[in-house]
Amino acid sequence: MPKRNDCRLCGSKEVVCFLRLSSMPRAGAYLKKEDLDKPEPTYPLDVYFCKSCASVQLLDIVSRETLFDDYRYLSSVASNSVLEHFHSYANEIKNELLGNSGFVVEIACNDGILLKPLNDLGVRCIGIDPATNIVEVARKKGVNVINDFFGEKLAENIIKKFGFADIVVANAVFAHVDDMADMTSGISKILCKSGSFVFEVHYLADIIQEMQYDSIYHEHFSYHSITALSTFLKKHGLEIYNIKKFSVRGGMIRVYAKKISNKNIQIQSAVSNFLQTEKKIGLDKLETFETFGKSVLKHKEEMLNLLKKLKSEGKKIVAYGMSGRGNTLLNFWGVDTKIIDYGIDASSERYGRYVPGMHIPIIPPENALDNVDYALLLAWIFKDDIIKKEKKFIQNGGKFIIPMPEPHFEPEN
């Protein structure tokens, strides 16, 4: 696999590794039964800090064609809070950013979790996504989706066919791209003079402060702070003018940018507030991340001690929520069917498949918690929704093991 020797945001070669999560399979490479005896490709999962622009990233690159072949993540198979988040998002775009009319382009629209409510609101919109199987799901919802990777070339083709975009949206994708220059140049090109680029990413401050190293996997090349993003976007003629923070999915920031050439940009106080907070946290210092790396190793030790203790007591333990984040944890901890009987997931895309590396079988949630003592809640970012949903499990004496930010039980012992 190729490995960069420079920062993908600024090109500096002053990049330092602060965390090695071992070599493991791709988090999204769910296995079929017939694949279990075949060799699995593994890739280094090492995380670097750029001393020049303070960006955090992976340098070992799994090709985008490999990452998005047989993609098994459906955005709409999520908690009610996530679905409500995107319906609210669509209303904001329609009522606050667009006005009476306009054209919206969404990059990496997945199964239409945002595009469908936009379409229902009468907004003229198209989506782009590279995962063929996911695009088919989106199209069945009646939305217009181009099955491709977004970049400058596709931006030019869209302009010719549909015109310039008033709003470009990119959610949970700015982390997934190795060639960020090509994508961002395409965004800058397709955006009309007064338009806005709006995107959501996991927030680096949350990853560091809340021990969210489960969000680190091969599909996520970059881990974003406003400090690094602001400098990078300016290189492509874009300036951040507002930021909003959301607790959904473990902590997301919604970033709003316009073309620097737009003389009517009004920079909101949120931008300077975020930059000041990041400086206080130390997101511009290598030492902050070196300390985080040591904390991750300690967390792994604590989790393994807990799981092994419960297993030695004869407890039945299953895993709940078999996402890429969970697969990273299981592989980093080395937890397989010696500890976890099976995994439970709400997505039909994963039924009958197995966790990459650890080969834990995945089953539907119906009656899956019967006679279970402990459920390791890998989908802990949806904790509140899941615990409400699984009241029967708790009433029968079952407990969830919540891994982040430190291992604990709910309900408490």
Side-chain angles (χ1 to χ4, degrees), residues 348-366:
S348 59
E349 290 288 313
R350 296 168 185 163
Y351 297 168
R353 300 225 174 193
Y354 295 77
V355 171
M358 296 299 101
H359 297 184
I360 297 168
I362 302 171
I363 67 171
E366 288 74 28

Side-chain angles (χ1 to χ4, degrees), residues 271-286:
V271 179
S272 59
N273 291 342
F274 268 83
L275 291 170
Q276 289 169 16
T277 299
E278 289 180 3
K279 196 163 187 66
K280 288 178 184 175
I281 295 170
L283 293 189
D284 58 341
K285 294 182 174 65
L286 174 60

Side-chain angles (χ1 to χ4, degrees), residues 127-277:
I128 301 107
D129 201 280
T132 303
N133 59 316
I134 306 299
V135 167
E136 290 173 3
V137 175
R139 286 174 176 166
K140 286 177 182 176
K141 297 178 180 179
V143 295
N144 187 2
V145 183
I146 298 169
N147 188 194
D148 204 346
F149 291 96
F150 182 82
E152 271 201 90
K153 185 176 179 181
L154 183 58
E156 291 168 358
N157 292 339
I158 291 172
I159 291 167
K160 288 175 185 174
K161 188 172 182 179
F162 298 96
F164 291 94
D166 297 278
I167 307 288
V168 175
V169 187
N171 300 311
V173 66
F174 230 43
H176 297 59
V177 179
D178 179 32
D179 191 351
M180 287 184 66
D182 179 50
M183 172 174 275
T184 314
S185 294
I187 291 165
S188 189
K189 180 167 284 189
I190 201 171
L191 198 61
C192 72
K193 290 180 181 179
S194 61
S196 289
F197 170 42
V198 186
F199 63 100
E200 289 189 347
V201 290
H202 281 112
Y203 189 33
L204 181 59
D206 291 330
I207 294 173
I208 297 301
Q209 293 185 305
E210 298 178 18
M211 197 53 58
Q212 292 191 28
Y213 65 90
D214 57 334
S215 64
I216 300 170
Y217 48 97
H218 298 106
E219 189 180 310
H220 295 163
F221 294 121
S222 301
Y223 304 86
H224 292 299
S225 65
I226 297 301
T227 301
L229 279 171
S230 178
T231 303
F232 172 72
L233 289 173
K234 283 177 181 176
K235 284 173 52 180
H236 293 275
L238 297 166
E239 181 156 15
I240 297 172
Y241 70 88
N242 199 12
I243 308 156
K244 294 180 182 178
K245 182 82 162 58
F246 298 91
S247 60
V248 69
R249 287 176 166 169
M252 306 288 288
I253 51 173
R254 185 178 299 166
V255 183
Y256 304 74
K258 285 184 178 289
K259 290 189 173 183
I260 293 173
S261 58
N262 183 344
K263 305 302 180 185
N264 296 318
I265 298 179
Q266 294 183 336
I267 311 296
Q268 303 298 311
S269 59
V271 179
S272 59
N273 291 342
F274 268 83
L275 291 170
Q276 289 169 16
T277 299

Side-chain angles (χ1 to χ4, degrees), residues 298-323:
K298 182 181 177 184
H299 184 273
K300 173 183 177 179
E301 184 180 352
E302 291 172 351
M303 277 302 311
L304 284 174
N305 288 341
L306 173 61
L307 292 171
K308 287 177 180 177
K309 179 178 181 293
L310 294 174
K311 201 66 182 177
S312 71
E313 295 170 355
K315 304 301 183 183
K316 182 175 180 178
I317 309 171
V318 302
Y320 196 115
M322 312 309 292
S323 66

Side-chain angles (χ1 to χ4, degrees), residues 6-21:
D6 63 341
C7 169
R8 70 172 47 80
L9 271 71
C10 75
S12 170
K13 289 185 168 55
E14 286 193 283
V15 284
V16 181
C17 182
F18 65 86
L19 176 61
R20 298 186 188 277
L21 289 170

